[in-house]
Amino acid sequence: MVSQAGSNPPWPRVSVVIPTLNEARNLPYVFSRLPADIHEVIVVDGHSVDGTIAVARQLRPDVRVVQQTRRGKGNALACGFEAATGDVIAMVDADGSTDPGEIPKFVDALLSGADFAKGTRFAAGGGSSDITRLRSLGNRLLGATVNLCYGTRYSDLCYGFNVFWEKYVAVLGLDTASPPPRKGDGMLWGDGFEIETLIHMRIAEEGLRVAEVPSFEHPRIYGTSNLDAFGDGLRVLTTILVELRRARRRHRSRHGASGVRTVATPARGLIHTETALVRVLYVLHSMERGSPFIHRARSSIIRPPTASPTAVLADRGRRRAPRL
């Protein structure tokens, strides 16, 4: 651990990575909140059509603009990390939901000995005026799964405000070079909003020192969020399962190379976990959209709740009558 007592560590060079997709109206606020001594600002654009790049260059002539190689927030961040030249990388959203003015307290956590400063909305001093109770519950359930598997104590798994030392980019193992898949949504795993989960699991696997930093999440200023609570929740769940399998394979290969016998971990527990969490996500999705969640009993016959006894008996008679 690095002690702050009696010393003032030099302020590191901070690279701020901002993924953008049609955020021209939000950038003036985000850029105005950046600390004055930032080393560089990297805007990673997903082919915006609203003049986002022109606005970024007008606001900050020294901005570095990078075009992402595929689609999705995760791919944009990976491209930004690859382009960064600072000692520290700060992940900041372009919609105004995260406050760049909080960057110094994240950097302070790094200077105090942390490898990774992880933002959290669920600690004293943090909060959110944007997240719903149902999304919060889903976040906590997914976070509890990761904590159980890795022995971590994450209080906020899916928050996107994080700051870390640039030297750990290689540990994350993010892919920017592979072409987009021809089928599906054009994204690889890790290219979407599940990127935060993937990052947190990989730094946990490497045993990096993580400091949680309270942060406040604000509502998006302009535009519509690209977040889909149910669809992205499933991507997060799939990422958890994929990363757990990846960690087991790496563990077996390491011990196999050293001649140590390993015991295979049964997958039944993971399958049960996946099934339970999918059901929870579906319930939360149904409740958040105001649609009823129907639990189907063993019988496949669903009758209208207002059906009279006479109608029920007539229905049974029709079903029992042989076909002529």
Side-chain angles (χ1 to χ4, degrees):
M1 300 291 287
V2 178
S3 174
Q4 292 268 33
S7 64
N8 292 313
W11 186 260
R13 298 176 303 160
V14 179
S15 298
V16 179
V17 175
I18 307 176
T20 60
L21 179 59
N22 299 324
E23 301 287 2
R25 291 194 295 172
N26 294 321
L27 287 185
Y29 169 80
V30 175
F31 277 34
S32 70
R33 296 291 300 166
L34 288 167
D37 48 0
I38 291 298
H39 168 62
E40 64 182 352
V41 177
I42 302 174
V43 167
V44 187
D45 192 62
H47 306 286
S48 296
V49 296
D50 68 341
T52 291
I53 295 177
V55 170
R57 286 174 171 158
Q58 181 181 8
L59 293 170
R60 192 172 181 118
D62 63 341
V63 69
R64 296 182 59 198
V65 176
V66 175
Q67 292 289 347
Q68 62 182 105
T69 56
R70 292 187 297 271
R71 295 180 58 247
K73 178 183 179 181
N75 173 251
L77 286 172
C79 293
F81 298 167
E82 188 174 72
T85 62
D87 307 306
V88 166
I89 295 175
M91 303 160 49
V92 174
D93 289 339
D95 59 4
S97 59
T98 54
D99 182 3
E102 295 181 347
I103 289 177
K105 64 180 181 180
F106 282 81
V107 175
D108 286 340
L110 298 182
L111 294 176
S112 295
D115 300 317
F116 194 99
K118 180 182 176 303
T120 175
R121 296 162 288 186
F122 305 122
S128 174
S129 59
D130 184 53
I131 193 170
T132 65
R133 291 184 179 181
L134 296 176
R135 282 174 49 206
S136 174
L137 177 58
N139 185 10
R140 289 177 184 272
L141 289 172
L142 293 167
T145 302
V146 171
N147 288 339
L148 181 64
C149 295
Y150 283 90
T152 50
R153 296 182 179 179
Y154 296 150
S155 64
D156 194 351
L157 181 67
C158 302
Y159 191 41
F161 199 171
N162 302 286
V163 180
F164 59 98
W165 294 105
E166 188 275 337
K167 62 184 178 182
Y168 294 119
V169 169
V171 168
L172 304 180
L174 302 179
D175 177 8
T176 61
S178 295
R182 296 181 179 180
K183 297 181 179 180
D185 57 8
M187 296 192 294
L188 302 178
W189 286 118
D191 281 355
F193 285 99
E194 72 279 3
I195 182 63
E196 290 91 5
T197 299
L198 184 148
I199 288 174
H200 297 327
M201 294 183 73
R202 291 189 178 177
I203 64 175
E205 182 185 350
E206 292 295 327
L208 300 186
R209 293 165 295 183
V210 178
E212 288 204 321
V213 178
S215 177
F216 193 89
E217 179 187 37
H218 303 271
R220 165 183 278 273
I221 302 174
Y222 295 107
T224 304
S225 174
N226 295 314
L227 178 66
D228 176 4
F230 183 66
D232 291 313
L234 286 178
R235 289 185 71 92
V236 170
L237 174 57
T238 303
T239 300
I240 291 175
L241 297 172
V242 169
E243 286 301 304
L244 288 174
R245 295 186 183 112
R246 173 181 177 271
R248 288 206 309 274
R249 288 196 301 269
R250 293 186 63 185
H251 180 77
R252 286 198 296 266
S253 63
R254 288 173 181 174
H255 284 268
S258 61
V260 178
R261 183 180 179 183
T262 60
V263 180
T265 304
R268 181 176 300 176
L270 287 179
I271 295 174
H272 288 170
T273 300
E274 179 182 29
T275 302
L277 287 176
V278 166
R279 289 175 177 173
V280 169
L281 288 172
Y282 177 69
V283 173
L284 295 178
H285 175 68
S286 300
M287 293 174 65
E288 191 166 44
R289 293 192 173 224
S291 56
F293 170 70
I294 300 175
H295 174 72
R296 295 179 182 268
R298 292 184 179 180
S299 173
S300 60
I301 301 174
I302 302 178
R303 299 186 178 87
T306 57
S308 65
T310 303
V312 172
L313 291 174
D315 180 64
R316 288 180 180 175
R318 286 194 299 270
R319 292 179 179 275
R320 290 178 180 175
R323 294 185 178 180
L324 299 179

